[in-house]
Amino acid sequence: MKEFRSDISGFYKLSIDERQKLLSELVDLNQDDLEILSTFGYFQPAQIDNLIENVVGSYQLPLGLAFNFKINDKDFIIPMVIEEPSVVAAASNAAKMARKHGGFHSDEVKPIMISQIQITQLKDIEVAIESLKKSKELLLKIANEQDPILNKLGGGAQDIEIREIHTNKGKMLILHLLVNVLDAMGANVVNTMAEAISPKIEEICGGKIYLRIVSNLATHRLARSRATFDKEMLGGTEVVEGILNAYEFALADPYRATTHNKGIMNGIVALTLATGNDTRAIESGAHAFASISGKYSPLTKFKLDSDGNLIGEIEVPLALGIIGGMTKIHPMARLALKILNVKSASELSQVGAALGLAQNVAALRALASEGIQKGHMSLHSRNIAKLAGVPDDLIEKVSKNMIKDKKIRVDYAKEILKKINEGKNL
Ligand code: NAD
């Protein structure tokens, strides 16, 4: 038998058809596999081939809608792209509990991004800092020459911050260029500016520059939202007490805080993906911010109002754009933004923060009452039935029987299917 090898060169030079053909020789694909690979949906193959390298197909995920969101007195239908059952329903549910008390109040989010410039091999750090400070206006001018459109619209480089860090390779100066990127996520914008000002920085302070790149820890672009969730709708005093206990658990224990924040990101990442934004940027920023105090902590806070309702707050960096990147290229992202009807990147981040908070409350409510598995069961059992090879028209029946018998397992799905096929009345 021919040895399987993955060191294939020139794959990128092939057309999508040729890549699929070669792949099918390499991993023995059948006709069904090839049909899945050839289903591009609303994308033109040529369009998708331009997005990343070595494209062989397109990958689909469900787009769901979360309802009941009132944010700053405006109603929103929120598009979410996610594969996990219960998340969309949970968000809608928690939003209803907040709606009773006026909905969510999100702050304006200033779209300020940081671009980092790493200056090494400086002879005199103090002198370099002084020279850079004196040259601030010149550096901002060079940066702003790079993006006339952004400038014309009122954005652009606004300020610099200089930080001294101690590394295993000695002291370094890190210059932060602060840029108002308006309605963009902004990574490309600020990277271009950082590269443009770097030669001048070397000229000014004599060091050697290595990295010039956006920071995903967007601490100048924090999204904040708060809401009051109805005590009775949450399930009463005992459930609310359970939520407060869950919050204290997350505050004290990073193992719990990680999962607490994962629940928040269920919502935020689903919106990020739906709107064609960069999920990795949002994830890394959120988790870094969660540990900015030196201890990984929850991104939300909870307390009670005088009537015993739950007041929730969230603070998270959200570099979400409504222009640039994939937002206007991806047909479904464009449509998602239309459904959402946001007018600015700031408004999108305000929605993201409210959604993250709602998601968190919904998960904590479930954990503090019936447990998380109940909500998952229906879809989970359908997935298990599918996995067991149950035909589409019997999935509902098999799934219901597994839930009734509290045995949601592939072997049990097969057992039920066998009984149905034998004509047993289930
Ligand atoms: P972009 O460069 O595609 O578009 C932004 C440009 O749009 C601006 O430069 C501006 O000239 C123009 N523009 C027109 N109207 C505007 C308005 N109202 N507001 C703002 N800009 C306006 O996009 P981007 O947001 O700079 O970059 C986002 C992309 O960068 C994403 O795809 C992301 O994945 C990628 N990226 C991310 C990282 C990272 O996060 N570390 C690094 C590199 C690249």
Side-chain angles (χ1 to χ4, degrees), residues 140-294:
L140 294 180
K141 181 171 169 288
I142 300 171
N144 280 325
E145 281 163 5
Q146 311 310 311
D147 203 329
I149 300 178
L150 195 65
N151 249 282
K152 206 170 140 221
L153 294 170
Q158 293 188 337
D159 207 351
I160 59 170
E161 293 172 342
I162 302 166
R163 296 168 51 226
E164 186 180 327
I165 60 167
H166 297 255
T167 78
N168 291 328
K169 282 194 170 290
K171 286 183 186 173
M172 294 177 190
L173 274 191
I174 309 300
L175 186 136
H176 283 187
L177 181 67
L178 306 188
V179 185
N180 183 341
V181 296
L182 298 179
D183 286 323
M185 179 266 184
N188 285 326
V189 180
V190 304
N191 290 346
T192 308
M193 289 184 177
E195 287 185 13
I197 64 172
S198 290
K200 184 54 81 182
I201 292 177
E202 282 182 342
E203 210 180 281
I204 292 165
C205 60
K208 175 154 178 52
I209 289 178
Y210 285 95
L211 271 58
R212 299 146 299 163
I213 179 83
V214 68
S215 169
N216 290 112
L217 183 50
T219 48
H220 294 281
R221 204 173 180 176
L222 295 179
R224 298 185 186 90
S225 190
R226 68 205 80 79
T228 301
F229 298 85
D230 189 70
K231 175 177 75 178
E232 298 310 328
M233 290 170 89
L234 279 164
T237 316
E238 209 171 306
V239 175
V240 173
E241 190 55 29
I243 293 176
L244 291 178
N245 269 296
Y247 168 55
E248 291 299 329
F249 179 9
L251 262 182
D253 178 16
Y255 284 90
R256 174 56 212 156
T258 306
T259 321
H260 179 103
N261 289 342
K262 190 273 181 185
I264 294 170
M265 300 316 283
N266 273 343
I268 292 177
V269 170
L271 173 68
T272 304
L273 200 51
T275 54
N277 274 283
D278 185 333
T279 52
R280 292 81 56 206
I282 295 298
E283 285 274 14
S284 58
H287 295 296
F289 186 68
S291 44
I292 206 159
S293 68

